[in-house]
Amino acid sequence: MSGAPPPRVLVLRALGLGDLLAGVPALRGVRRAFPGHRVVLALPAALTEAALATGSVDAVLPAEAPGRGVPTLAGWPDGPPDVAIDLHGNGPESRDALAALAPRRLLAYACADPSLVRPPVWRPDEHERDRWCGFLAAHGIAADPDDVRLPVPATASPAPGAVVVHPGAESAARRWPAERFAGLARRLRAAGHRVVVTGGPKEDALVREVARRAGLPAGDELRGGLPFAELSALVAGARLLVSGDTGLAHLAVAHATPSVTLYGPVSPRLWGPPPVPRHVALWKPGPPGDPHGDRPDPQLMRIGVEEAAAAALALLGPHGRGPLPASGFPRYRAETR
């Protein structure tokens, strides 16, 4: 006769790949805090493989809503979760979606716990990894914001040792122009590096345009949106990743792959890489912009091809893997005007 099923923890973070990877430190804190529980993560079904690859969750509850909204959790099986944790946002909508399941314990920014001596305070200027680790710490759950690494997947890379250029992004505001990515790719090829271009499932036209403008062979266009294991292997085995502020930049951090990330309109101080020299965040300060806007942000457009190429070539160096990690606070190239 089988024993009783384990208690369950439901975590809500139904956002994108970058959000998932930025939330890994918090998810691992939850995993360690509830070792005998079944940890279920509510997020889009397309991210199931990525979520399980973090090693911090046991299962996924498919859940998503348009425009980074709060999804319904109607797919939750019978019975309330023992613990429900809102890592989705700080508003009542995400709290209420979890509260509707009548969890025995609910942790949320929008759910004041009178037993907390120092309840968590949402600060808009806080880095995403620090925010959620601090939130958990207020509830007595230890989480390390630097705990971001993922294991190298067993899947073979489709382009080992290449420089990966990823021109896509969820919104046009964070999408550097195709002709600039192509100019960067030409510079890197001229320096003797293999360059491959990748994109998401709906970005084939963009991948083709960048590859055509850069003069890349057909085999260096990775279209169609790679499955996560193959995409993860590609980034893990790359010499360098160049992208905008999108999920692949976080994947480079997870695999300690050198990266150049082009930021705008959101500052890297909110979503950027850890403070190690192998990651360069190019950023031009300016008036706040809309990260979900329908045209490239003015700050992003102030980053030129020559600046991005110089950063990439400096990281590639004579041996192709960039400088060794070093401690210290990040020195984003944020004051370059």
Side-chain angles (χ1 to χ4, degrees), residues 212-234:
R212 178 183 60 80
R213 286 174 175 265
L216 301 183
D220 291 341
E221 296 179 36
L222 304 179
R223 300 195 301 267
L226 298 176
F228 179 76
E230 195 172 346
L231 182 66
S232 186
L234 173 70

Side-chain angles (χ1 to χ4, degrees), residues 40-69:
V40 180
L41 177 61
L43 86 171
L47 294 177
T48 296
E49 191 177 4
L52 296 177
T54 69
S56 55
V57 302
D58 299 304
V60 161
L61 174 68
E64 60 185 304
R68 297 174 67 85

Side-chain angles (χ1 to χ4, degrees), residues 3-108:
R8 298 171 296 176
V9 176
L10 175 61
V11 181
L12 174 61
R13 192 167 175 83
L15 299 164
L17 176 61
D19 304 275
L20 167 63
L21 296 175
V24 163
L27 290 171
R28 287 182 173 154
V30 171
R31 172 77 283 169
R32 289 189 296 269
F34 299 98
H37 290 58
R38 180 172 173 82
V39 178
V40 180
L41 177 61
L43 86 171
L47 294 177
T48 296
E49 191 177 4
L52 296 177
T54 69
S56 55
V57 302
D58 299 304
V60 161
L61 174 68
E64 60 185 304
R68 297 174 67 85
V70 177
T72 175
L73 301 177
W76 179 254
D78 291 340
D82 294 86
V83 183
I85 303 176
D86 181 5
L87 300 184
H88 190 91
N90 67 331
E93 296 86 359
S94 51
R95 174 205 62 196
D96 292 348
L98 290 168
L101 302 177
R104 295 180 175 87
R105 182 185 179 194
L106 174 59
L107 281 60

Side-chain angles (χ1 to χ4, degrees), residues 2 10 18 20 26 69 90 95 116 154 161-163 168 176 216 232 241 250 254 258 263 289 309 325-326:
S2 61
L10 175 61
L20 167 63
N90 67 331
R95 174 205 62 196
L116 296 180
V163 174
W176 210 42
L216 301 183
S232 186
L241 170 75
H250 294 274
Y263 282 86

Side-chain angles (χ1 to χ4, degrees), residues 17-18 21 46-47 49-50 53 150-160 164-167 196-201 203 207 222-238 240-241 243 246-252 254-255 257:
L17 176 61
L21 296 175
L47 294 177
E49 191 177 4
L150 293 184
V152 176
T155 303
S157 167
V164 177
V165 170
H166 185 81
V196 300
V197 183
T198 185
E203 295 175 337
V207 170
L222 304 179
R223 300 195 301 267
L226 298 176
F228 179 76
E230 195 172 346
L231 182 66
S232 186
L234 173 70
V235 173
L240 177 74
L241 170 75
S243 74
T246 188
L248 253 67
H250 294 274
L251 194 55
H255 287 309
T257 297

Side-chain angles (χ1 to χ4, degrees), residues 73-309:
L73 301 177
W76 179 254
D78 291 340
D82 294 86
V83 183
I85 303 176
D86 181 5
L87 300 184
H88 190 91
N90 67 331
E93 296 86 359
S94 51
R95 174 205 62 196
D96 292 348
L98 290 168
L101 302 177
R104 295 180 175 87
R105 182 185 179 194
L106 174 59
L107 281 60
Y109 267 109
C111 182
D113 184 342
S115 69
L116 296 180
V117 177
R118 295 182 179 178
V121 176
W122 179 281
R123 297 197 299 273
D125 61 345
E126 191 170 25
H127 194 286
E128 187 73 0
R129 291 188 296 271
D130 295 329
R131 167 180 292 124
W132 294 111
C133 289
F135 164 78
L136 292 177
H139 290 88
I141 299 173
D144 178 2
D146 293 327
D147 187 9
V148 296
R149 294 292 299 275
L150 293 184
V152 176
T155 303
S157 167
V163 174
V164 177
V165 170
H166 185 81
E170 182 181 9
S171 67
R174 294 182 281 119
R175 204 176 298 139
W176 210 42
E179 61 269 21
R180 297 195 190 185
F181 273 113
L184 171 65
R186 287 195 301 271
R187 285 290 309 276
L188 298 179
R189 287 193 76 211
H193 301 285
R194 182 188 178 190
V195 177
V196 300
V197 183
T198 185
K202 300 178 182 179
E203 295 175 337
D204 282 0
L206 176 60
V207 170
R208 281 195 298 266
E209 181 182 1
V210 172
R212 178 183 60 80
R213 286 174 175 265
L216 301 183
D220 291 341
E221 296 179 36
L222 304 179
R223 300 195 301 267
L226 298 176
F228 179 76
E230 195 172 346
L231 182 66
S232 186
L234 173 70
V235 173
R239 288 187 174 180
L240 177 74
L241 170 75
V242 183
S243 74
D245 176 15
T246 188
L248 253 67
H250 294 274
L251 194 55
V253 169
H255 287 309
T257 297
S259 67
V260 175
T261 308
L262 314 173
Y263 282 86
V266 178
S267 167
R269 296 189 183 279
L270 302 179
W271 283 89
V276 293
R278 64 174 167 260
H279 300 301
V280 173
L282 299 181
W283 157 249
K284 308 291 186 179
D290 178 7
H292 308 294
D294 58 4
R295 63 185 62 187
D297 184 77
Q299 278 95 281
L300 179 64
M301 293 297 289
R302 288 168 57 199
I303 301 172
V305 172
E306 291 304 315
E307 183 180 1

